[in-house]
Structures are given as C-alpha cells and as structure tokens.
Amino acid sequence: MNRLHRTSSKTGLGGITEYCRLNCNRPFTSHIIYIFTLSIMTILVFGNSLKNKFVYDDNILLVGNPTYKYFDTWKLLFTPFNPANGVEYLPVRDVSYAIDYFVWGENPVGFHLSNIIIYIFTGIICYFFSFKLLSILKNDSLQNESLNETCFVSFIITLFFIIHPIHSQVVSFIIQRNALLSAFFFFLTLYVYLLFEQSENIKMKIIFYCLALLFCLLALFSKATSVTLPILLLIITTFNKNNKTWSARMLQLAPFFLMGLMAFRLISSVARHTNVIKSNLIEFGAYSLTTKLATAIQIPCFYIYKLFVPFNLAPEYDIAFAKNFLSFAVVGALGATVFAFWYAWKNREKSPYLLFCLCWLFITLAPVLNLMPTQPVVADRYAYLPSYAFCFALSILLYRTAKLRHEIWLKAVCLFYLATLSGVAFYENTIWKDEKTLFTTMIQRAPHISKGYANLGYVYFNEKQYDKAFGLLQRAYQLDPTKPDYELKRGMIAFRKNNLEEAIGYYKKALAINEQSMAANYFMGISYSRLGDYKSALSALQNVLDSTDADTNSFKYKTMLNMNLYIYPKLKPELDVLRASTLQNPDDLGIRRKLADTLLQYGMLDEALGQYQEVEKRNNTDWQALFSMAKIYRHKKDWQTAMNYVKQALSLKPQEEVLLSEMGILHMAIHNTSEAIMWFGRISPKKHELYALSRYYTAVCYFQRGNREKAEYYFGLVDQNYPEMKLKTAPYTKKLAAL
C-alpha cells in the first residue's frame, strides 16, 4: 500500500508509467521480453517492405503534394472541405505525412519505416490492452489461470494479430497510414479507459479519462471508421462488472459518443463534398435498402473466410455478392450470424470471450458493410481492426484446447500455422514492391477487375510501350465500360504532339463514355483554349467544376487557375459591354436577361444568380429565368431550393418537358427514385432527345432501386430505339448481365 501511495503522489508521465508498471500485476521484466519479441517479429515479417517504392494512390495523393511537402499547417488542420489530399479530412494522418516529408523528403524508405514503427507500437498497446481485457473476461474455467498464463495468452493474441497477412496492405501501402494510426489510437483509448475504470486514485482517474478523450479524438481524425470506438467502450464497460449503474456508465461515455457523432457528421459531409461518397454510383440496388442489407449480411462471412485462409489476397477483389435477399448466400450468411450470436449469448457466462469477439467483429465492420455505397465493396484494409476479434478468439480456443489435452502435435500445428502466416505476410509485402508487381498480381488474382489492367496500362504508357499499354486499356474498358482510359491516353498523345483537333475528338469519345471525367473535360478545355475557341473552352472547364468524380489530381484548382488567367480576360470585353448596358438601362429586362444568360454560360454563377433575381423581382412570370436559377442551385447542390424554382416555373409552364426532366433529375440526386420515375414518365415522345434521356434515366432509377426486371426492360428499350446511347447504357447492362 505504501508503494501504491508513493506512486499515486507522482505526477506527469513518469508517475503514469510507474503506476501502469505496478498495476499490470506481473513482473516488469516479463513485459519487456514479450514486447521485445513482438517488436522483433514485426521487423522480421514486415521489414522487407522497406524496399518498396511509392505505388498506386501514393503517387496520386502523396508524392509531390505541396501541403505535405511544405508543411502547410493551415491546410493540414483547418480546411476540412479543401483537404490536404483533396479527398479526406484526416488531419492526424496528414500531419504524419508532413513530418515524414520534413525528415525524409520524398524517400519512400522513410515513409515505410514510419509505417513499421507505428505498427510496432500498435502491437505493444494491443498486448497491454489484451492483458487488461482478459482480466475482465475471466470466467469459471479461466479464473485459476496464473498471471503468467494470462500474460502469455495476451502475447499469443498479439502475435497472431501482428503477423497476420491480411495486414500487409495496411503496412506496405503508405497511403493506408490512416488505418495504422487509427488502430494505434483505438487500442490506446481502450487501454487507457480501462486504466481509468480500474484506478482508485482520483487524480489518476482524471488523468486517464482526459487521455482517453484525447486518444479517441486522435483516432477519429485518423480514419473515419473509428466512429465505432465509443460503442466498443460501451461493450467493454458492460463486460467489466464494477457495480456501476447504466446511467453512470453512459454519463462517463457521453463525451466519447458526442465526439464520435460530431466527427462522423464532419467527415461524412467532407466525403460527400469531395465525392468519396458518390451520388451516382453504378452498383445494382445501390440505393435499395434490401439490396444493401443483402450485401452487408454477406460481407462478414467473406472477411472471416479470409482471416482463416489468408491466401490469394488481392489489392481489390472481384467477388460478386448476391443481391437477392432471399438467395441461398444471403439466407445462409444470415442464419450463420444469428446462430453464432445465439450460441454466444447462451454461453456468455461460460465463455464470455466468444460474445465479446462477435460484438467486436460486427461493430468494427459496421462502417465498411457498404450501407453507405463506396468503392471498393471489400478490401483487406477494412479487416484491420476487425481481425483483432479473430486473433483473440483463435488464441483463446487454441490455448484452452492445448491446456486440456497436452498434445504435442497440437502445439506443433499451432507453430506451423503461425509460421505459415508469417511466411505469407512476408511474401505479400513483396507484391507492393513497385507498380508492375502490384498490378500484375492484381490482374492474376482479380482478373475481372478493370483497375489492374488500367493501372498496368498507365505504367507501360509512361514507359512509352504503347502497344502493351493500349492492349491493357482496351481490356480495362471491356471489363468496366465507365472507364474511358483508352480514349484519354490516345487524346494525350495527340495533345502532346499539338494535334489539338484530334485530341478533342478523343476527349469527346471519352466523355461519351463518362461525361463526368475530369481529365477529359480539363484537357479538352485546354485544347479549345489553345485553338482560340474560348467559349467552348469555358464550357468544358465548367464541366470540370461540376463533375461528381473525386478530384485526386487537383483538376478543379488547375481549372480555376486557367479560367482566371487565360479564359476570362479574353471574354471580359463582351461582359463589360453587357454590364455597362445593364447599368445604363436597368429596367430593360431583355438586356439584363442576356447578361445573366452569358454569365451562366461562362460559369459565373453568383453574379448570374444576382441578375436573374433582379429579373424575377421585375417579372415573376419569366419561367426561363426561374429555370436558370434552378440550374444554378443544382450546381451548388442545393437540391431543395432548385426544386422550388422548378415548381414555380412549372406553375407557369405545366407541360414544359425540359422542366419535367429537370425535376426528375433533382429527385434522382436525392435518391427519391419513385418521384423521379413519375416526372420522367410525363415527358412526351414527341421530344425525341428529352424522351430518350427520360427512358434512360427511368432505367437507371429502377437499377438503383434493385428492380432488375424493369431495369432490363427500359435499358433494352433505349438500346433498341436509341442506339446512339449505348455507351451510356453499357455499364448498367454489363452489371445486370453479371447478376
């Protein structure tokens, strides 16, 4: 008691360290041995990743990024809707990249070394957390275990965790630093919170609680999936029988849930703003609850299989999940899940670890069950935190079996399995050596995914091996008709040779395949600008700003720069004349409308909106002005205001097909597909182009709702009557054919 009293009186890090040492309930030297062993194993298994280069998204989001390169603190921390990598607002990860840049420059060895160091520290915290967790989950069959045995089981759990091959993607792929950091702070939060719960000293309780809040915040801003952390804290405190009431537990956890909710709202808003969460995802039943649930039910089974048999791992998988809720795969997966939870609940007193592991697995998988549609649907990195549940359950099962039977062959099998996992992980790291090894392996292991072919094609294109490059790009398009990479690269060759009209032809073909392609719109705009066609250039560049694709190449920034430096100065004289005429004749609505229309055409939305509002004040029966304002608000993604203006226009022009089509498009944007179908159905066949688009959009709505029969009917109708639209329908019909 005197030693504990002296420790409690200390403050600062030294006091906390001494407190932890005395309260781990086992010899300090044994901790050092296990930590040293885990660290050495991590280095032996993952040390070969130091030879790897920057690959894949590293070269797009990290290499050469000025925010990291010049340690732009303001953009790193305080511009969530203009994040450092243009995609995600994760300031903890971004600061770590900036530190790496400061220390290593653009040497990939340094970045890989940082990943390994973070992984080592995660293993150490995982070990201490496992030891604390085992003391909570002890039951009648385990209560007689010595402290040495408990600590040994903690070591085995952590050993399985750190050598598992499914973690190779997280450690070897630098851009997955977010997963590494979030797991480190995730385990640290849980461990420190348990120290808070078990401490009896008020000062230490306050320190541990504040540290847990800090680490939780760091986890949340390392990776969005850390939003599950408060739920795990609640689960663990439920298993921790410390006689606290539910109200007391919830009061303690309230700040964690509040932080999690606020972080989720911010990060998801940024993801929508940067189009990480897509509004036009081409995935059958993407916005149908039953279809999404069918996929979500199957995903845990996929990961459990990969955790048991971690072979043939792939950077991305071409697995197709059943979409029908009543299919054998869905019913079987649901039945297995229900049975597992029923069995775990029934045996919760005898084997509480089983229920805990199931809760951990499903809670940490919840953010990646594709309920918010993103791509890819499944990936090894998504299993990083969930894999702890597998390692925990497997270690307990093997230890208890070996203890009961004392069979030497069982221990030999365990050692062989550990060695196999280590060997597979060591080999998987070599796949990430460079882009050729990575994408060649992706093609071998996921031959029906277009990304492998497209990215390997880019590699050969950069090496000027054009025959190989275009062969791979053609194959990529056959697999995914939404990817116009072949036309883009053909256009790039023509662009470099200054054959601008030829380049524009290829870019138009690319846009026929994917009208949202930022690259095609951007380079087409630059080509038009060099030809002196500034109006066409501005139209193409405006499409870049309106695109819903993720801006991973800073096209929007480059577009604004080109528009302000080269395009607007050429168009300024015309606008100045119109502005002067408007000032001289403020009541002439014809001149004001012409100025507003020109501003809208040139993408000057705010000024155009102001002029249209002036027109509306003087003449509220101008339905075209109302429609133009609706288009401006659609560009701003203010769907409700846009709808209100279209409704006003419809009250003046009830049968105007362009307004009916616009209303349908707006309802599609908010995924109200039933309303969208109704509006598209009101368009007359006499309006050929609008009617063709209405049939196409109707088919897309049924596709998004998961109604295969009607989607196939309407896509077939479009293909038969409007063959010029086959490039638009191809991605959808291919998906339907694969069901």
Side-chain angles (χ1 to χ4, degrees), residues 234-297:
L234 177 61
I235 295 295
I236 290 172
T237 57
T238 302
F239 279 96
N240 187 17
K241 299 175 182 178
N242 54 9
N243 298 320
K244 286 185 179 178
T245 63
W246 271 102
S247 58
R249 289 174 181 170
M250 291 307 298
L251 186 63
Q252 288 175 182
L253 291 173
F256 294 91
F257 278 97
L258 182 61
M259 279 198 309
L261 178 62
M262 294 174 66
F264 173 76
R265 288 179 65 88
L266 175 61
I267 292 170
S268 59
S269 296
V270 172
R272 287 189 176 89
H273 180 77
T274 59
N275 297 303
V276 172
I277 299 175
K278 295 183 179 293
S279 60
N280 60 340
L281 189 68
I282 300 179
E283 188 65 38
F284 181 73
Y287 306 114
S288 160
L289 180 59
T290 55
T291 306
K292 288 192 290 186
L293 285 174
T295 303
I297 288 166

Side-chain angles (χ1 to χ4, degrees), residues 16 22 47 63 106 159 178 190 235 283 537-538 570 586 596 608 661:
I16 295 172
L22 293 174
V63 177
E106 279 189 3
L159 184 60
N178 54 356
L190 295 173
I235 295 295
E283 188 65 38
L538 192 59
K570 299 292 183 180
S661 177

Side-chain angles (χ1 to χ4, degrees), residues 58-209:
D58 294 344
N59 292 312
I60 299 172
L61 304 176
L62 177 59
V63 177
N65 188 316
T67 305
Y68 304 138
K69 202 170 184 176
Y70 303 112
F71 219 120
D72 186 346
T73 309
W74 179 258
K75 192 167 182 180
L76 286 170
L77 300 176
F78 303 114
T79 57
F81 291 95
N82 184 24
N85 68 356
V87 179
E88 305 160 301
Y89 177 63
L90 299 174
V92 176
R93 175 207 60 189
D94 292 335
V95 168
S96 79
Y97 286 149
I99 292 171
D100 274 348
Y101 253 107
F102 180 78
V103 176
W104 309 104
E106 279 189 3
N107 186 347
V109 174
F111 286 82
H112 284 294
L113 180 60
S114 296
N115 274 19
I116 291 174
I117 290 171
I118 295 167
Y119 195 57
I120 288 172
F121 278 104
T122 302
I124 293 170
I125 296 300
C126 179
Y127 162 75
F128 283 114
F129 168 66
S130 300
F131 182 80
K132 284 288 183 186
L133 188 61
L134 283 170
S135 67
I136 292 173
L137 298 179
K138 275 186 178 181
N139 53 67
D140 293 340
S141 62
L142 294 174
Q143 65 183 356
N144 294 324
E145 286 181 350
S146 67
L147 295 176
N148 284 341
E149 288 177 311
T150 303
C151 202
F152 177 70
V153 176
S154 304
F155 168 72
I156 295 299
I157 292 168
T158 310
L159 184 60
F160 268 115
F161 181 76
I162 64 169
I163 66 169
H164 203 287
I166 210 165
H167 298 170
S168 176
Q169 183 178 116
V170 174
V171 180
S172 300
F173 193 10
I174 296 170
I175 212 67
Q176 292 307 315
R177 176 75 59 81
N178 54 356
L180 285 173
L181 285 168
S182 69
F184 171 69
F185 290 117
F186 199 99
F187 283 118
L188 198 53
T189 303
L190 295 173
Y191 175 63
V192 172
Y193 192 84
L194 286 179
L195 291 179
F196 153 74
E197 287 238 304
Q198 295 174 2
S199 173
E200 296 181 359
N201 180 272
I202 299 299
K203 184 182 289 186
M204 297 307 298
K205 284 181 79 72
I206 294 172
I207 291 173
F208 286 135
Y209 187 78

Side-chain angles (χ1 to χ4, degrees), residues 8 10 13 154 258 346 409 417 462 529 534 661 719 729:
S8 301
K10 295 183 181 181
L13 184 60
S154 304
L258 182 61
K346 184 179 179 182
W409 66 266
Y417 186 55
N462 293 332
S529 177
Y534 298 110
S661 177
D719 286 345
T729 62

